[in-house]
């Protein structure tokens, strides 16, 4: 797989003011060429990352990709073999965790089971030698903000999952950390509670303006919460950008297939014009970004990555013909799995609103590609 | 139906049941001996009496009970104080060599026979033993230290006996503490010492209680150590039982001392657990 490491500020849809915004004093966290090895395994390979002040940045990748290693390096639980870590402009590569002024919410919350909610939340303030009365005030204030008032004297074991998470968040935020680190904090919650907590966390983060680094393997979580996403795989940052950029302009095949659902069609490269390229698929011509196809000559076969919602039924200049294999009713929409011999992926997924007339299984249909969000990459030999 | 699901249950349980019956039988024998009269000059026992238990209140015997309790307390506390750092290093060290060294050093005493181990200590602690010759040679002391046949000597050897078990129990407890708690504390600005005293140590509570109780109960029944290292000057209940049973052939009194010792062990552990209940009640 060819991978294109992309620097966020220069290549990925950089707005003109971003370079200025990235000036050193606006950076809350910076990783400069950080490498971390465990024995012979390279967990993180020459990672460069800049997190702006107040930003919600997500490290997204499959398990074992190095995203947690990156978090641990920022937290100071691990120290890099190469490269430097900066927090708030200060070099902290060799600074121990307890001097880094960070807040962490762990996957299992790690609330101290032998302490009450109030002692848990006040722990960081006590460690800083804050006066008893101020501790009480700040704890009360943050607990009220987290809708935890009245639970001060409970032990963590007597709280629900959502309450435990709020306490963990309160404990991390009450010390006014320079950066808040969230290590898959939602994975232990059930689905309904999870989305409610996501909204809550996002609101609190925005209200306090605290710089946040969020680690997850859940791409929908990443898309819905982040200001920017850094996609990590095999110890490298593959792309950094806004959720829209990552979803609509994936930098490479890995990201295109990792984020969201995607089907791959065979197409032929017609021509490249500046930033756009035109590819021919069936009887249809589609415009795609030229970036991933740079240097390719017209006439070659390319793989066209399309999202389920970009496909629509057509009878005229169809891109592709296929036979409906299965339809899956999803409430607000219907997923159609289509067998198309001309496609590169074995099955094509398309999504239709459920109030539309949906062709049944066995029907032969023509497909067209709408919108401008398809992406093409040079075909790989298989 | 039940036998269908666990076809070998009866077969497997048989040896256990036999051993349990044997123990129960022996206990009943001891219990009934403890309330019988001794017939001087005979191994047979006489009629029912409580005199054996009232005789125990004599200062001579009460003294041995108190010494035993005191030795148990000392041994339990020292085993804990020495065992905790060992257990902590055993669990948390990242170096395999360190772990192996600790494990070998702590566990080896368990594999030595009690008498062999105790005699080795006689060689080490005696007036011309290893420690005294070393200290004399380097002129740290002018007279040999009296360690053998003293409470100190007995305590040292008792700690050596209980240390492996206490260490392993503590290690099990420490291994169960999620390191995320310590990481969380550290991220909140707590230095390592504070992390240890506010998080790690309180969360080791259950292991500490179990270790103390085990060391206490185990020391209570110590025999070879006080016999050989105490040399008749430091006596524990087992030594008294042995002396009365096999020196004076007063089986009823020996039996009643055993029963009293057993009762005292249970009582002490109950008190210990009650006192340490707050420690034990940590965890989710």
């Amino acid at each position: 797989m060819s991978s294109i490491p992309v620097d966020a500020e220069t290549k990925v849809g950089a707005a003109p003011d971003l370079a200025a915004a990235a000036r050193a004093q606006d950076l809350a966290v910076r990783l400069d060429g950080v490498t971390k090895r465990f024995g012979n395994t390279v967990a993180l390979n020459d990672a460069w990352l800049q997190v702006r002040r107040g930003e919600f940045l997500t490290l997204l990748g499959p398990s074992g990709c190095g995203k947690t290693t990156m978090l641990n390096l920022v937290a100071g639980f691990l120290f890099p073999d190469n490269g430097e870590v900066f927090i708030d402009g200060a070099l902290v590569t060799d600074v121990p965790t307890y001097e880094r002024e960070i807040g962490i919410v762990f996957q299992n919350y790690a609330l101290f089971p032998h302490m009450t909610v109030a002692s848990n939340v006040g722990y960081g303030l006590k460690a800083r030698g804050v006066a008893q009365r101020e501790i009480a005030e700040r704890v009360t204030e943050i607990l009220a903000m987290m809708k935890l008032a009245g639970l001060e004297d409970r032990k963590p074991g007597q709280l629900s999952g959502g309450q435990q998470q709020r306490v963990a968040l309160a404990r991390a935020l009450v010390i006014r950390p320079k950066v808040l680190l969230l290590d898959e904090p939602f994975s232990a919650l059930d689905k309904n509670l999870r989305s409610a907590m996501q909204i809550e966390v996002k609101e609190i983060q925005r209200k306090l303006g605290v710089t946040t680094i969020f680690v997850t393997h859940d791409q929908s979580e990443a898309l819905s919460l982040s200001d920017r996403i850094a996609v990590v795989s095999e110890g490298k940052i593959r792309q950094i950008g806004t959720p829209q950029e990552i979803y609509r302009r994936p930098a490479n095949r890995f990201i295109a297939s990792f984020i969201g659902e995607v089907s791959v069609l065979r197409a032929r490269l017609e021509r490249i014009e500046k930033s756009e390229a035109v590819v021919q698929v069936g009887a249809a011509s589609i415009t795609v970004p030229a970036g991933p196809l740079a240097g390719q000559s017209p006439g070659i076969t390319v793989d066209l990555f399309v999202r389920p919602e970009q496909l629509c039924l057509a009878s005229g200049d169809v891109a592709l013909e296929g036979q409906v294999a299965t339809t899956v009713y999803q409430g607000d929409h219907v997923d159609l799995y289509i067998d198309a011999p001309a496609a590169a992926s074995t099955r094509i997924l398309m999504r239709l609103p459920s109030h539309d007339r949906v062709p049944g299984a066995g029907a032969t249909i023509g497909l067209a590609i709408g919108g401008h969000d398809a992406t093409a990459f040079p075909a790989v030999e298989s | 139906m039940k036998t269908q699901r666990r076809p070998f249950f009866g077969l497997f349980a048989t040896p256990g049941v036999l051993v349990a019956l044997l123990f129960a039988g022996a206990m009943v024998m001891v219990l009934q001996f403890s309330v019988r009269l001794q017939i001087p000059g005979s191994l047979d026992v006489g009629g029912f009496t409580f005199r054996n238990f009232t005789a125990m209140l004599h200062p001579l015997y009460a003294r041995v009970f108190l010494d035993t309790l005191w030795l148990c307390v000392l041994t339990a506390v020292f085993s804990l104080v020495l065992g905790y750092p060992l257990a902590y290093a055993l669990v948390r060290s990242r170096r395999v060599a360190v772990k192996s060294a600790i494990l070998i050093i702590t566990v080896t005493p368990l594999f030595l026979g009690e008498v062999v181990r105790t005699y080795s200590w006689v060689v080490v602690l005696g007036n011309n033993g290893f420690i005294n010759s070393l200290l004399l040679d380097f002129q740290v002391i002018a007279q040999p230290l009296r360690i053998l046949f003293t409470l100190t000597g007995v305590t040292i050897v008792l700690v050596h006996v209980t240390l492996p078990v206490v260490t392993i129990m503590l290690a099990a407890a420490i291994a169960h503490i999620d390191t995320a708690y310590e990481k969380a504390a550290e991220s909140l600005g707590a230095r390592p010492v504070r992390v240890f005293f506010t998080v790690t140590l309180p969360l080791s509570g259950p292991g500490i209680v179990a270790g103390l109780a085990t060391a206490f109960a185990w020391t209570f029944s110590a025999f070879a150590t006080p016999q050989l290292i105490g040399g008749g000057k430091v006596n524990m209940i087992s030594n008294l039982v042995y002396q009365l049973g096999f020196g004076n052939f007063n089986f009823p009194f020996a039996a009643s001392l055993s029963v009293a010792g057993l009762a005292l062990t249970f009582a002490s552990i109950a008190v210990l657990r009650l006192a340490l209940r707050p420690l034990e009640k940590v965890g989710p």
Side-chain angles (χ1 to χ4, degrees):
Chain A
M1 180 168 65
S2 73
S3 59
I4 312 155
V6 178
D7 177 47
E9 312 308 339
T10 55
K11 289 184 191 161
V12 186
D17 63 334
L18 286 191
R23 278 194 310 261
Q25 63 264 38
D26 291 325
L27 291 179
V29 176
R30 208 172 101 202
L31 298 186
D32 276 10
V34 170
T35 298
K36 180 69 192 173
R37 294 179 202 89
F38 296 111
N40 292 325
T41 334
V42 182
L44 200 61
N45 189 1
D46 193 29
W48 296 76
L49 180 71
Q50 302 191 331
V51 187
R52 296 174 203 131
R53 199 159 288 171
E55 180 176 39
F56 195 114
L57 182 121
T58 298
L59 299 174
L60 173 67
S63 58
C65 69
K67 58 190 192 298
T68 303
T69 303
M70 224 184 289
L71 194 84
N72 284 331
L73 287 163
V74 175
F77 297 140
L78 293 174
F79 296 96
D81 296 318
N82 286 109
E84 304 291 358
V85 181
F86 296 85
I87 294 178
D88 242 8
L91 181 69
V92 297
T93 311
D94 299 316
V95 172
T97 301
Y98 52 84
E99 285 173 1
R100 288 196 183 190
E101 304 279 321
I102 50 167
I104 307 184
V105 176
F106 291 87
Q107 193 165 4
N108 59 1
Y109 317 133
L111 295 175
F112 307 127
H114 56 300
M115 295 183 198
T116 61
V117 168
S119 315
N120 262 285
V121 176
Y123 188 89
L125 298 173
K126 210 170 164 190
R128 281 166 174 71
V130 175
Q132 203 61 243
R133 179 199 292 227
E134 194 190 334
I135 293 179
E137 278 169 14
R138 280 168 71 177
V139 167
T140 308
E141 184 191 4
I142 194 104
L143 287 180
M145 187 177 144
M146 292 290 173
K147 300 173 199 153
L148 288 165
L151 300 178
E152 286 83 353
D153 298 325
R154 297 264 187 98
K155 291 277 180 73
Q158 300 167 300
L159 301 176
S160 71
Q163 289 170 332
Q164 286 184 26
Q165 175 157 65
R166 285 205 201 98
V167 175
L169 205 55
R171 183 177 70 175
L173 287 172
V174 77
I175 59 170
R176 292 166 194 156
K178 288 176 177 164
V179 54
L180 176 66
L181 307 175
L182 305 174
D183 186 6
E184 309 229 8
F186 304 114
S187 57
L189 301 174
D190 66 55
K191 207 180 157 208
N192 289 334
L193 191 56
R194 190 183 309 177
S195 33
M197 280 311 295
Q198 285 171 1
I199 294 167
E200 218 165 299
V201 165
K202 182 74 187 162
E203 274 173 5
I204 287 161
Q205 189 266 340
R206 194 160 291 164
K207 191 151 86 186
L208 298 178
V210 58
T211 311
T212 303
I213 300 181
F214 173 54
V215 162
T216 185
H217 63 268
D218 183 325
Q219 35 109 355
S220 70
E221 224 168 66
L223 290 173
S224 59
L225 290 175
S226 319
D227 294 322
R228 286 195 306 156
I229 298 173
V231 184
V232 188
S233 84
E234 289 166 357
K236 277 193 164 291
I237 297 176
R238 303 293 174 176
Q239 186 176 4
I240 306 177
T242 64
Q244 291 83 353
E245 285 164 0
I246 299 279
Y247 187 75
R248 299 173 59 187
R249 295 284 177 259
N252 56 52
R253 303 173 65 99
F254 165 76
I255 292 165
S257 37
F258 184 69
I259 316 282
E261 281 168 297
V262 78
S263 304
V264 186
L265 309 183
R266 287 238 185 278
R268 204 170 62 85
L269 179 60
E270 288 280 295
R271 59 185 185 276
I272 298 180
E273 294 163 349
K274 289 180 190 148
S275 66
E276 289 187 333
V278 177
V279 299
Q280 183 83 29
V281 49
S285 286
I286 313 289
T287 307
V288 296
L293 296 170
Q296 304 290 335
S297 40
I300 64 151
T301 305
V302 296
D303 286 342
L304 185 67
F305 285 66
V306 291
R307 305 283 180 196
E309 67 275 12
Q310 292 166 354
L311 290 167
C312 51
L313 296 172
S315 48
D317 285 344
V318 298
L320 195 71
E321 278 202 338
Q323 199 175 29
V324 179
T326 319
T327 63
V328 180
Y329 182 71
Q330 301 278 20
D332 58 339
H333 66 267
V334 180
D335 285 336
L336 285 83
Y337 292 88
I338 296 152
D339 287 329
S345 47
T346 47
R347 265 198 182 159
I348 289 172
L349 173 62
M350 87 178 281
R351 195 158 283 168
L352 292 176
S354 54
H355 54 76
D356 282 10
R357 253 177 57 91
V358 176
T364 301
I365 55 171
L367 295 177
I369 300 165
H372 301 279
D373 290 343
T375 319
F377 298 97
V380 286
E381 311 298 326
S382 53
Chain B
M1 286 315 264
K2 249 183 181 173
T3 45
Q4 276 300 79
R5 268 193 289 162
R6 295 184 297 182
F8 299 115
F9 183 77
L11 202 63
F12 285 162
T14 311
V17 171
L18 286 178
V19 171
L21 283 176
L22 216 64
F23 269 117
M27 272 315 292
V28 170
M29 287 298 283
V30 170
L31 274 173
Q32 71 101 7
F33 263 111
S34 72
V35 287
R36 302 294 281 273
L37 271 173
Q38 187 212 8
I39 302 172
S42 164
L43 287 183
D44 289 328
V45 290
F48 179 86
T49 179
F50 270 125
R51 223 167 60 193
N52 298 322
F53 288 96
T54 45
M56 257 179 251
L57 300 172
H58 189 281
L60 193 73
Y61 303 122
R63 174 74 220 220
V64 175
F65 273 95
L66 287 178
D67 277 355
T68 304
L69 279 176
W70 181 232
L71 275 166
C72 289
V73 170
L74 285 178
T75 308
V77 170
F78 282 114
S79 300
L80 180 69
V81 169
L82 292 175
Y84 197 94
L86 278 174
Y88 188 83
L90 178 63
V91 174
R92 291 294 162 81
S93 175
R94 291 205 187 98
R95 295 168 70 174
V96 181
V98 173
K99 283 179 185 257
S100 316
I102 294 172
L103 205 60
I104 290 167
I105 291 167
T106 45
V107 172
T108 312
L110 284 176
F111 294 104
L112 287 176
E114 205 178 3
V115 174
V116 173
R117 180 177 51 210
T118 315
Y119 265 120
S120 318
W121 275 107
V122 172
V123 173
V124 173
L125 299 176
N127 278 2
N128 302 313
F130 174 73
I131 290 181
N132 273 320
S133 357
L134 201 71
L135 292 177
L136 285 169
D137 284 353
F138 284 94
Q139 296 184 332
V140 181
I141 50 171
Q143 300 273 324
L145 291 175
R146 289 208 33 184
I147 312 174
L148 210 57
F149 311 138
T150 66
L151 197 81
T152 314
V154 174
T155 310
I156 290 173
V157 182
L158 285 174
V159 168
H160 184 230
V161 177
T162 47
L163 192 59
V165 180
V166 173
T167 305
I168 286 166
M169 292 183 93
L170 287 171
I174 295 169
H176 272 102
I177 302 173
D178 189 345
T179 50
Y181 295 130
E182 286 153 332
K183 285 181 176 178
E186 215 187 322
S187 76
L188 291 164
R191 288 166 179 278
V193 173
R194 179 186 282 268
V195 174
F196 178 78
F197 282 107
T198 57
V199 176
T200 318
L201 194 60
L203 291 178
S204 324
I208 293 174
V209 174
L212 280 177
T214 308
F216 196 93
W218 208 0
T219 306
F220 213 100
S221 59
F223 174 71
T225 302
Q227 189 78 7
L228 297 172
I229 306 288
K233 298 216 169 63
V234 182
N235 282 310
M236 293 178 72
I237 291 174
S238 325
N239 308 114
L240 202 57
V241 170
Y242 177 77
Q243 232 169 302
L244 287 164
F246 298 93
N248 305 357
F249 292 105
N250 188 347
F251 281 173
F253 197 27
S256 60
L257 278 172
S258 309
V259 170
L262 194 65
L264 200 58
T265 312
F266 280 129
S268 317
I269 290 175
V271 168
L272 186 76
R273 295 206 89 125
L274 217 61
L276 297 178
R277 180 163 278 183
L279 263 185
E280 211 173 352
K281 272 202 159 178
V282 297

